[in-house]
Every structure is written in structure tokens, then in C-alpha cells.
Amino acid sequence: MTDTPKQAGERIATRRHARRMTQADLSRASFVSLSMIRGIERGVRSPSGKTLDSRRA
């Protein structure tokens, strides 16, 4: 069973909070735009597999 965009966003936000990161921190660390992070966490944008794998090299 796959997550809805809202469920995925909630999981990402929960993990981000656990790491005491702001959305801007996550944006910089993952090379994903801040507006994309905000949209994903609100459930209005669906992260692609590539976006979910984004991380600093």
C-alpha cells in the first residue's frame, strides 16, 4: 500500500522535526527547493522517487 501525498508529507515532517531541522535546513541538505519541501509537507505536491532520494553527495 502506498502513501497518499498527505501521508508522505506527514512522515517527512515528523522525521524532520525529530532531527530538529527547519524546512530550510532540509531544503539545503537535500538540494530540493524550499517551496517543494513546503508543498510536500502540506500534501499538495507529490515527491518523486528522485526527490525522495535527494541528499548531499
Side-chain angles (χ1 to χ4, degrees), residues 1-3 6 8-10 12-13 18-20 23 25-26 28-29 31 37 41 43 48 50-53 57:
M1 179 177 181
T2 59
D3 286 341
K6 183 162 180 70
E10 288 171 354
I12 291 167
R19 289 173 174 81
R20 297 183 183 265
Q23 288 178 332
D25 292 336
L26 178 57
R28 283 188 296 274
F31 297 101
I37 298 293
E41 287 192 5
S48 67
K50 184 177 178 181
T51 299
L52 291 173
D53 280 344

Side-chain angles (χ1 to χ4, degrees), residues 13 15-27 29-30:
R15 290 184 180 180
R16 177 179 60 78
H17 287 291
R19 289 173 174 81
R20 297 183 183 265
M21 295 177 81
T22 65
Q23 288 178 332
D25 292 336
L26 178 57
S27 173
S30 63

